Amino acid sequence: FLRGFGIRRAGGCGRNARQIFATTGENLSCAIILKDMNDNYYRKINLAGLSIETYTDNSFVNIRDFLDKFADDNLDQSENQELKILFAKGNRKIELSSGWNSLSIVGDDIDDLHNPFNLIGIAQALFRFAAIHLAQRGVFLLHGSTAVLNGKAVCFGDDGSSTAKTLSSLEIALDSKHYVADEFCFFNSQTKEVFGYRFIPIHIRLVVKEHLEKYHGFSSPKNYYRKTLAGEFVEQDKLFTTISGKLELLAYTHFSEKDHKIQKLSVQEATKAFGFCITSHVAKLLYSNFDRMQFSSMTDTNDAKIIDEELVSEILAKITNNSKMSPRIFEETPSYRLTVSQPCQIVDLLRKEID
């Protein structure tokens, strides 16, 4: 334990807790945790290359084990920015500090990671928080699901009106047996690498499961997570081989009873769609009402949540420090609009384009 504060260390360097939580005038909701530092466990984690200090109520043993999966190896210890995430007991909530450099995740029962509302709520909060600070490095959190077809990684993303990201990715993964990540995919715009974390389960809503059972003879494997009204959460490695690699294309799925076609987007169209794809997660952290799966109330809905273009532009300017997207991103990683009447059409449409 760190002398005088009782903070258990696991990786990274120790610091005076009162200095760490000095707010320089900010109103941190995290103050709830400051009243008793003796029950906090310290861990520095590496999230997509970003160094984050975490402080966890010492009774949250499952969250501590979960954080240990984000190894802190090969981090740049000279980073000036201090980012902090705190896990504490109390009324369920996720709250971001006014300066966006600290996040609190609170709840009496959040250590039960068999409950998908806890695991996904925690994971998405971590990833979205990281997304705010990674964007200026050219690393983006895509609101999309990525799988492999014909040896090429395809991300099905959110362009503001597209749908069926998980279902589209499962359509091609059932063909290739290779998967990257569901819902939370990091994309390095410099190296073009797309990657995720294999211990985050695939979220299979009821309507998706019914389609997979009817058309693909799909059967969910026995897994770690409890079934909920939000559907099933299936361990990725029980279904597919997990990979990472170069992102070959972005696809946005739309349904129409009349058409099934694939259209390559212009650079201007691709830039607009990509803006939605990389800001949607951040918008949901800033405005939780946009989230279909609610952490605080542990509820879920199939209703679409629409984020308007003005908000997307504001968030994009903030997280990128007003930097413009390089057209090279969309020249090297082209974007497509898929229009289908039935999800099973997705594989054939994409094959015609990437073969």
Side-chain angles (χ1 to χ4, degrees), residues 82-318:
E82 286 188 353
L83 304 175
K84 298 171 281 289
I85 298 179
L86 303 99
F87 298 85
K89 291 186 175 182
N91 294 329
R92 288 180 72 94
K93 65 178 178 178
I94 293 173
E95 205 156 35
L96 185 67
S97 69
S98 59
W100 292 12
N101 65 344
S102 187
L103 183 74
S104 58
I105 303 174
V106 183
D108 288 334
D109 61 350
I110 60 174
D111 196 50
D112 176 13
L113 299 188
H114 287 280
N115 181 347
F117 282 102
N118 289 336
L119 177 73
I120 299 302
I122 289 169
Q124 66 188 17
L126 289 175
F127 294 155
R128 291 167 178 175
F129 180 68
I132 291 173
H133 303 284
L134 286 168
Q136 291 188 37
R137 303 182 182 186
V139 178
F140 301 104
L141 176 61
L142 305 179
H143 187 212
S145 301
T146 304
V148 175
L149 183 65
N150 291 16
K152 297 180 178 180
V154 179
C155 178
F156 295 92
D158 173 13
D159 65 2
S161 60
S162 57
T163 188
K165 299 181 299 296
T166 299
L167 177 54
S168 299
S169 68
L170 291 175
E171 283 286 342
I172 68 172
L174 288 171
D175 181 271
S176 70
K177 310 303 181 188
H178 288 87
Y179 206 78
V180 178
D182 179 38
E183 190 70 16
F184 307 100
C185 302
F186 288 95
F187 172 60
N188 186 321
S189 63
Q190 298 174 20
T191 66
K192 305 301 181 290
E193 181 188 13
V194 62
F195 62 95
Y197 290 90
R198 65 195 310 157
F199 47 83
I200 305 301
I202 299 173
H203 183 185
I204 302 179
R205 285 189 163 88
L206 181 59
V207 65
V208 174
K209 183 181 179 183
E210 289 175 347
H211 169 83
L212 296 177
E213 289 175 341
K214 182 176 180 179
Y215 293 99
H216 299 283
F218 176 81
S219 178
S220 298
K222 186 176 181 180
N223 66 87
Y224 176 86
Y225 306 102
R226 288 197 292 271
K227 293 181 181 180
T228 71
L229 294 177
E232 295 186 23
F233 294 79
V234 180
E235 293 160 90
Q236 190 166 301
D237 288 343
K238 290 193 174 182
L239 295 175
F240 309 114
T241 299
T242 300
I243 69 159
S244 62
K246 180 183 177 183
L247 179 62
E248 295 289 344
L249 62 90
L250 280 155
Y252 302 99
T253 302
H254 297 258
F255 285 97
S256 168
E257 293 182 2
K258 298 179 180 179
D259 298 320
H260 63 280
K261 59 185 178 181
I262 183 168
Q263 301 165 282
K264 186 175 181 179
L265 301 184
S266 67
V267 170
Q268 183 178 5
E269 292 170 327
T271 302
K272 180 180 178 181
F274 191 69
F276 273 96
C277 197
I278 65 174
T279 56
S280 292
H281 274 308
V282 176
K284 292 176 181 182
L285 178 60
L286 298 175
Y287 306 97
S288 62
N289 56 298
F290 288 128
D291 233 335
R292 290 201 290 170
M293 192 172 178
Q294 292 284 321
F295 173 82
S296 58
S297 61
M298 292 194 289
T299 57
D300 184 69
T301 178
N302 287 322
D303 296 337
K305 305 288 186 176
I306 306 300
I307 303 172
D308 65 73
E309 290 185 36
E310 184 178 352
L311 180 59
V312 167
S313 297
E314 289 176 4
I315 294 172
L316 191 59
K318 176 77 171 179

